[in-house]
Short mmCIF file of all heavy atoms in Angstrom, two decimals:
data_model
loop_
_atom_site.label_atom_id
_atom_site.label_comp_id
_atom_site.label_asym_id
_atom_site.label_seq_id
_atom_site.Cartn_x
_atom_site.Cartn_y
_atom_site.Cartn_z
N PHE A 27 -3.39 -18.96 -2.96
CA PHE A 27 -2.59 -18.87 -4.23
C PHE A 27 -3.20 -17.89 -5.17
O PHE A 27 -2.55 -17.06 -5.74
CB PHE A 27 -2.45 -20.34 -4.87
CG PHE A 27 -1.86 -20.21 -6.26
CD1 PHE A 27 -0.51 -20.08 -6.50
CD2 PHE A 27 -2.73 -20.26 -7.34
CE1 PHE A 27 0.03 -20.16 -7.77
CE2 PHE A 27 -2.20 -20.27 -8.61
CZ PHE A 27 -0.86 -20.15 -8.87
N PHE A 28 -4.49 -17.96 -5.34
CA PHE A 28 -5.16 -17.02 -6.26
C PHE A 28 -5.03 -15.63 -5.68
O PHE A 28 -4.72 -14.68 -6.46
CB PHE A 28 -6.74 -17.34 -6.21
CG PHE A 28 -7.13 -18.36 -7.22
CD1 PHE A 28 -6.69 -19.67 -7.15
CD2 PHE A 28 -7.94 -18.03 -8.26
CE1 PHE A 28 -7.10 -20.60 -8.02
CE2 PHE A 28 -8.39 -18.95 -9.23
CZ PHE A 28 -7.93 -20.32 -9.10
N ASP A 29 -5.07 -15.45 -4.37
CA ASP A 29 -4.93 -14.08 -3.81
C ASP A 29 -3.47 -13.66 -4.06
O ASP A 29 -3.32 -12.42 -4.35
CB ASP A 29 -5.07 -14.19 -2.23
CG ASP A 29 -6.56 -14.35 -1.84
OD1 ASP A 29 -7.53 -14.15 -2.67
OD2 ASP A 29 -6.80 -14.71 -0.66
N ALA A 30 -2.48 -14.41 -3.87
CA ALA A 30 -1.09 -14.02 -3.97
C ALA A 30 -0.75 -13.61 -5.39
O ALA A 30 -0.06 -12.57 -5.59
CB ALA A 30 -0.16 -15.18 -3.57
N TYR A 31 -1.30 -14.32 -6.33
CA TYR A 31 -1.05 -13.94 -7.76
C TYR A 31 -1.80 -12.72 -8.15
O TYR A 31 -1.42 -11.88 -8.95
CB TYR A 31 -1.31 -15.07 -8.68
CG TYR A 31 -0.06 -16.01 -8.92
CD1 TYR A 31 0.56 -16.63 -7.89
CD2 TYR A 31 0.59 -16.08 -10.09
CE1 TYR A 31 1.72 -17.37 -8.06
CE2 TYR A 31 1.74 -16.81 -10.36
CZ TYR A 31 2.24 -17.41 -9.27
OH TYR A 31 3.43 -18.17 -9.53
N LYS A 32 -3.08 -12.60 -7.58
CA LYS A 32 -3.93 -11.43 -7.87
C LYS A 32 -3.22 -10.19 -7.47
O LYS A 32 -3.36 -9.13 -8.09
CB LYS A 32 -5.18 -11.55 -7.15
CG LYS A 32 -6.19 -10.44 -7.34
CD LYS A 32 -6.80 -10.43 -8.74
CE LYS A 32 -7.92 -9.41 -8.84
NZ LYS A 32 -8.50 -9.34 -10.21
N GLU A 33 -2.41 -10.18 -6.32
CA GLU A 33 -1.76 -8.96 -5.86
C GLU A 33 -0.78 -8.44 -6.84
O GLU A 33 -0.47 -7.23 -6.87
CB GLU A 33 -0.97 -9.37 -4.58
CG GLU A 33 -1.83 -9.49 -3.34
CD GLU A 33 -0.99 -9.70 -2.09
OE1 GLU A 33 0.26 -9.40 -2.13
OE2 GLU A 33 -1.52 -10.20 -1.06
N TYR A 34 -0.34 -9.26 -7.81
CA TYR A 34 0.57 -8.88 -8.84
C TYR A 34 -0.14 -8.71 -10.18
O TYR A 34 0.55 -8.65 -11.24
CB TYR A 34 1.72 -9.94 -9.02
CG TYR A 34 2.62 -9.95 -7.74
CD1 TYR A 34 2.43 -10.95 -6.76
CD2 TYR A 34 3.66 -9.08 -7.63
CE1 TYR A 34 3.19 -10.95 -5.68
CE2 TYR A 34 4.47 -9.11 -6.46
CZ TYR A 34 4.25 -10.04 -5.52
OH TYR A 34 5.04 -10.06 -4.36
N GLY A 35 -1.41 -8.64 -10.13
CA GLY A 35 -2.16 -8.33 -11.37
C GLY A 35 -2.31 -9.53 -12.25
O GLY A 35 -2.64 -9.36 -13.46
N ILE A 36 -2.22 -10.81 -11.71
CA ILE A 36 -2.34 -12.01 -12.53
C ILE A 36 -3.60 -12.76 -12.10
O ILE A 36 -3.75 -13.17 -11.02
CB ILE A 36 -1.12 -12.92 -12.29
CG1 ILE A 36 0.12 -12.11 -12.89
CG2 ILE A 36 -1.27 -14.31 -13.06
CD1 ILE A 36 1.42 -12.90 -12.63
N ASP A 37 -4.48 -12.75 -13.08
CA ASP A 37 -5.76 -13.46 -12.85
C ASP A 37 -5.67 -14.88 -13.32
O ASP A 37 -5.04 -15.18 -14.41
CB ASP A 37 -6.91 -12.73 -13.49
CG ASP A 37 -7.24 -11.41 -12.98
OD1 ASP A 37 -7.16 -11.27 -11.73
OD2 ASP A 37 -7.28 -10.40 -13.75
N ILE A 38 -6.30 -15.84 -12.69
CA ILE A 38 -6.34 -17.21 -13.13
C ILE A 38 -7.66 -17.53 -13.86
O ILE A 38 -8.71 -17.31 -13.36
CB ILE A 38 -6.25 -18.20 -11.89
CG1 ILE A 38 -5.05 -17.86 -11.02
CG2 ILE A 38 -6.22 -19.66 -12.30
CD1 ILE A 38 -3.73 -17.92 -11.72
N TRP A 39 -7.48 -18.02 -15.07
CA TRP A 39 -8.63 -18.35 -15.95
C TRP A 39 -9.28 -19.61 -15.58
O TRP A 39 -10.52 -19.79 -15.54
CB TRP A 39 -8.26 -18.33 -17.42
CG TRP A 39 -9.23 -18.86 -18.33
CD1 TRP A 39 -10.30 -18.21 -18.87
CD2 TRP A 39 -9.31 -20.21 -18.91
NE1 TRP A 39 -11.11 -19.06 -19.68
CE2 TRP A 39 -10.40 -20.28 -19.73
CE3 TRP A 39 -8.55 -21.32 -18.74
CZ2 TRP A 39 -10.85 -21.40 -20.40
CZ3 TRP A 39 -8.92 -22.54 -19.39
CH2 TRP A 39 -10.04 -22.56 -20.19
N GLY A 40 -8.48 -20.70 -15.34
CA GLY A 40 -9.06 -22.07 -15.20
C GLY A 40 -8.30 -22.86 -14.07
O GLY A 40 -7.11 -22.49 -13.82
N ILE A 41 -8.87 -23.93 -13.68
CA ILE A 41 -8.24 -24.80 -12.66
C ILE A 41 -8.77 -26.16 -12.78
O ILE A 41 -9.95 -26.40 -13.22
CB ILE A 41 -8.52 -24.24 -11.26
CG1 ILE A 41 -7.73 -25.03 -10.22
CG2 ILE A 41 -10.01 -24.24 -10.93
CD1 ILE A 41 -7.70 -24.43 -8.77
N THR A 42 -7.89 -27.13 -12.46
CA THR A 42 -8.35 -28.57 -12.34
C THR A 42 -8.20 -28.96 -10.85
O THR A 42 -7.36 -28.37 -10.16
CB THR A 42 -7.57 -29.52 -13.21
OG1 THR A 42 -6.25 -29.68 -12.71
CG2 THR A 42 -7.52 -28.94 -14.65
N PRO A 43 -8.89 -30.03 -10.37
CA PRO A 43 -8.87 -30.41 -8.97
C PRO A 43 -7.43 -30.82 -8.55
O PRO A 43 -6.98 -30.66 -7.44
CB PRO A 43 -9.81 -31.48 -8.87
CG PRO A 43 -10.81 -31.31 -9.90
CD PRO A 43 -9.99 -30.68 -11.08
N GLY A 44 -6.63 -31.40 -9.53
CA GLY A 44 -5.28 -31.81 -9.16
C GLY A 44 -4.66 -32.49 -10.37
O GLY A 44 -5.33 -33.05 -11.28
N ASN A 45 -3.29 -32.44 -10.43
CA ASN A 45 -2.62 -32.99 -11.61
C ASN A 45 -2.54 -34.52 -11.44
O ASN A 45 -2.23 -35.10 -10.43
CB ASN A 45 -1.20 -32.51 -11.58
CG ASN A 45 -0.36 -33.08 -12.70
OD1 ASN A 45 -0.48 -32.75 -13.85
ND2 ASN A 45 0.59 -33.98 -12.31
N GLU A 46 -2.88 -35.23 -12.54
CA GLU A 46 -2.83 -36.70 -12.69
C GLU A 46 -3.27 -37.38 -11.37
O GLU A 46 -2.43 -37.99 -10.72
CB GLU A 46 -1.41 -37.13 -13.10
CG GLU A 46 -1.06 -36.51 -14.44
CD GLU A 46 0.26 -37.03 -15.01
OE1 GLU A 46 0.98 -37.77 -14.31
OE2 GLU A 46 0.52 -36.76 -16.19
N PRO A 47 -4.54 -37.33 -11.12
CA PRO A 47 -5.07 -37.79 -9.77
C PRO A 47 -4.91 -39.31 -9.54
O PRO A 47 -4.94 -39.68 -8.40
CB PRO A 47 -6.51 -37.39 -9.88
CG PRO A 47 -6.87 -37.21 -11.34
CD PRO A 47 -5.59 -36.77 -11.94
N LEU A 48 -4.71 -40.14 -10.53
CA LEU A 48 -4.53 -41.52 -10.27
C LEU A 48 -3.14 -41.88 -9.77
O LEU A 48 -2.87 -42.83 -9.09
CB LEU A 48 -4.82 -42.32 -11.53
CG LEU A 48 -6.26 -42.41 -11.99
CD1 LEU A 48 -6.42 -43.49 -13.06
CD2 LEU A 48 -7.23 -42.62 -10.88
N ASP A 49 -2.10 -40.95 -10.07
CA ASP A 49 -0.71 -41.16 -9.60
C ASP A 49 -0.67 -41.40 -8.13
O ASP A 49 0.14 -42.14 -7.57
CB ASP A 49 0.19 -40.07 -10.09
CG ASP A 49 0.32 -40.04 -11.59
OD1 ASP A 49 -0.17 -40.97 -12.29
OD2 ASP A 49 0.84 -39.02 -12.08
N GLY A 50 -1.44 -40.60 -7.39
CA GLY A 50 -1.32 -40.53 -5.94
C GLY A 50 -1.78 -41.78 -5.23
O GLY A 50 -1.59 -41.89 -3.99
N PHE A 51 -2.30 -42.72 -5.89
CA PHE A 51 -2.72 -43.98 -5.33
C PHE A 51 -1.62 -45.07 -5.28
O PHE A 51 -1.82 -46.15 -4.74
CB PHE A 51 -3.93 -44.58 -5.99
CG PHE A 51 -5.22 -43.69 -5.79
CD1 PHE A 51 -5.66 -42.89 -6.84
CD2 PHE A 51 -5.82 -43.77 -4.62
CE1 PHE A 51 -6.86 -42.13 -6.65
CE2 PHE A 51 -6.94 -42.94 -4.37
CZ PHE A 51 -7.51 -42.19 -5.41
N PHE A 52 -0.41 -44.72 -5.82
CA PHE A 52 0.61 -45.70 -5.93
C PHE A 52 1.83 -45.26 -5.05
O PHE A 52 2.51 -44.24 -5.30
CB PHE A 52 1.07 -45.87 -7.34
CG PHE A 52 -0.05 -46.29 -8.26
CD1 PHE A 52 -0.75 -45.37 -9.07
CD2 PHE A 52 -0.41 -47.62 -8.31
CE1 PHE A 52 -1.72 -45.78 -9.85
CE2 PHE A 52 -1.43 -48.08 -9.13
CZ PHE A 52 -2.04 -47.14 -9.90
N PRO A 53 2.03 -45.95 -3.93
CA PRO A 53 3.12 -45.57 -3.00
C PRO A 53 4.52 -45.54 -3.63
O PRO A 53 5.44 -44.92 -3.09
CB PRO A 53 3.07 -46.69 -1.94
CG PRO A 53 1.71 -47.18 -1.97
CD PRO A 53 1.22 -47.08 -3.41
N PHE A 54 4.71 -46.25 -4.74
CA PHE A 54 6.05 -46.24 -5.34
C PHE A 54 6.16 -45.07 -6.34
O PHE A 54 7.27 -44.95 -7.01
CB PHE A 54 6.23 -47.54 -6.14
CG PHE A 54 5.18 -47.92 -7.15
CD1 PHE A 54 5.02 -47.29 -8.42
CD2 PHE A 54 4.16 -48.80 -6.81
CE1 PHE A 54 4.05 -47.56 -9.28
CE2 PHE A 54 3.15 -49.19 -7.69
CZ PHE A 54 3.05 -48.47 -8.89
N PHE A 55 5.21 -44.16 -6.45
CA PHE A 55 5.31 -43.06 -7.33
C PHE A 55 6.45 -42.11 -6.92
O PHE A 55 6.80 -42.01 -5.80
CB PHE A 55 3.99 -42.29 -7.42
CG PHE A 55 3.80 -41.51 -8.65
CD1 PHE A 55 3.56 -42.15 -9.84
CD2 PHE A 55 3.96 -40.12 -8.66
CE1 PHE A 55 3.44 -41.36 -11.03
CE2 PHE A 55 3.78 -39.38 -9.84
CZ PHE A 55 3.51 -40.07 -10.97
#
């Protein structure tokens, strides 16, 4: 993903490991 956006001149400043990581523990999500 970083590579693909870099090809278009877009640099990524920051990242988190994943969005709302507790949500994924609930099968009804």
Side-chain angles (χ1 to χ4, degrees):
F27 169 80
F28 275 66
D29 288 342
Y31 269 64
K32 179 72 172 179
E33 285 184 20
Y34 293 96
I36 297 176
D37 296 315
I38 307 298
W39 169 81
I41 188 171
T42 71
N45 177 73
E46 297 188 352
L48 292 193
D49 294 349
F51 290 105
F52 301 99
F54 53 79
F55 203 70

